Amino acid sequence: MKVFFDPTEIPAGFGPSVVAIGKFDGVHSGHRAVIDRARVTATDAAARVVAVTFDRNPLSILRPDRCPEALVSVDQKIALLADAGVDATLVLRFDEALAALSPREFVEHVLVDALGAVCVMVGDDFRFGRGGAGTPAVLGELGADLGFTVDVVSDVQGGGRRVSSTWVRELLAAGQVEDAARLLGRPHAVRGEIVHGLKRGHELGYPTANLSSDLEGFVPADGVYAGWLIDEGKDAGALSAATRYPAAISIGTNPTFDDVPERQIEAYVLDETGLDLYDHTVQVQITHRIRGMVKFEGIDALIETMRGDVAAVRAALLPGR
């Protein structure tokens, strides 16, 4: 997939393209419905499928007091859009200058001149241009004038509610990772570099890989989870060489010892005690919640519970083994 970070990077004559526009935070099933429709239309039109998105939530500039925490980083979003079958992604820097463009200026500069759009796909709630003046109806009027069609894709519904990044965020914040995965169409993942910790897991018989606090992706509620650690190695992003390990995952501040000042994620790789993952970039896919975070009265009780946690993780990830 080609990635552009400014319309000026797009070569002349790049189109025709079918463009899907949105924040695409999490690239959940609702977003993929838009992309899937774009792929079908692009086949009929012999065009490329292009996702147009932003380097941050526009609310971070327009209404910072209402801006939610992102589900994924820009790098994660780009990788997920590639997995969804997009041919190219344009990541626009959302700043005051972009926010000041009128709907027509945005359409002419980005969609027509740069991308040669023949069809533009948006969701029901899409807004663009200065003051949010651009609506799907306005986009349709501009398309009729400038030579492209507009397809407004209806929301994907589940359980009587619209599938949205907000809903996914709520589920993750409550620790409901399996329900979140159903909306996402995949397990939620965080990504970061493995750093040195307090070595306490090693002392307890369960050595863990500790993720840097500077990580990518929304961190679910404190607790113990089952999931997969995907080692990308020191050459971050080299997924073709990545190794996948079953893991017991702890999220929280380690209340039994009360000496971890901020929430951390650490993963114990099942049946592997000699792994050296320091300075490696890893993804941690979180698939099942085992229990909430608990403060124990002593080390023996903690170790006994950890033994049960590992058994539960094994049953969830490797049934029959």
Side-chain angles (χ1 to χ4, degrees):
M1 183 184 74
K2 298 180 182 298
V3 182
F4 306 106
F5 292 93
D6 191 275
T8 59
E9 298 177 5
I10 300 171
F14 180 79
S17 63
V18 174
V19 180
I21 310 179
K23 294 191 290 290
F24 295 118
D25 186 22
V27 193
H28 55 62
S29 57
H31 297 142
R32 288 200 314 279
V34 177
I35 293 168
D36 288 346
R37 181 86 69 88
R39 291 173 62 193
V40 172
T41 301
T43 298
D44 292 339
R48 305 175 192 259
V49 178
V50 180
V52 174
T53 189
F54 308 99
D55 68 339
R56 70 201 74 187
N57 190 320
L59 287 177
S60 66
I61 299 295
L62 303 174
R63 292 292 304 271
D65 57 313
R66 295 181 55 190
C67 184
E69 184 178 349
L71 288 174
V72 295
S73 69
V74 171
D75 285 345
Q76 287 177 304
K77 184 194 299 188
I78 289 170
L80 290 167
L81 288 170
D83 288 344
V86 172
D87 296 313
T89 294
L90 170 60
V91 182
L92 295 171
R93 175 178 174 79
F94 195 93
D95 54 17
E96 288 82 358
L98 185 65
L101 293 178
S102 70
R104 176 173 280 273
E105 288 171 332
F106 177 86
V107 166
E108 289 180 338
H109 178 53
V110 177
L111 303 183
V112 177
D113 295 344
L115 295 174
V118 294
C119 180
V120 179
M121 305 275 185
V122 295
D124 292 323
D125 59 352
F126 178 67
R127 297 293 181 273
F128 69 105
R130 186 169 53 243
T135 64
V138 169
L139 185 62
E141 294 169 2
L142 291 169
D145 186 30
L146 297 170
F148 61 86
T149 61
V150 174
D151 191 349
V152 181
V153 182
S154 299
D155 294 332
V156 172
Q157 299 287 329
R161 181 175 177 180
R162 179 175 74 94
V163 174
S164 67
S165 302
T166 297
W167 190 6
V168 174
R169 198 176 292 110
E170 290 172 1
L171 291 171
L172 293 174
Q176 296 173 242
V177 294
E178 292 174 76
D179 290 334
R182 293 186 183 98
L183 303 188
L184 291 168
R186 65 179 189 282
H188 178 65
V190 296
R191 183 172 181 264
E193 184 177 318
I194 298 299
V195 298
H196 289 276
L198 296 174
K199 314 291 186 184
R200 184 164 287 124
H202 184 81
E203 295 170 2
L204 297 174
Y206 297 95
T208 58
N210 296 267
L211 270 71
S212 166
S213 59
D214 182 21
L215 53 77
E216 304 172 48
F218 186 93
V219 179
D222 289 1
V224 175
Y225 298 85
W228 300 89
L229 184 147
I230 301 172
D231 176 22
E232 299 179 15
K234 293 186 179 182
D235 180 15
L239 288 178
S240 60
T243 306
R244 185 170 178 258
Y245 300 100
I249 302 154
S250 172
I251 300 176
T253 58
N254 204 337
T256 298
F257 297 96
D258 196 27
D259 56 1
V260 179
E262 59 184 4
R263 299 176 75 209
Q264 66 177 16
I265 298 179
E266 48 187 326
Y268 165 67
V269 175
L270 271 57
D271 306 323
E272 296 281 353
T273 57
L275 285 177
D276 181 3
L277 297 174
Y278 292 121
D279 301 323
H280 288 216
T281 297
V282 303
Q283 288 188 52
V284 176
Q285 294 181 342
I286 306 167
T287 60
H288 302 78
R289 183 173 172 89
I290 302 302
R291 62 172 173 86
M293 190 57 66
V294 178
K295 180 175 182 177
F296 295 91
E297 295 302 322
I299 300 299
D300 291 343
L302 171 59
I303 293 175
E304 182 63 27
T305 300
M306 291 172 68
R307 187 177 296 117
D309 292 340
V310 170
V313 168
R314 190 184 303 279
L317 301 177
L318 305 169
R321 290 177 55 183

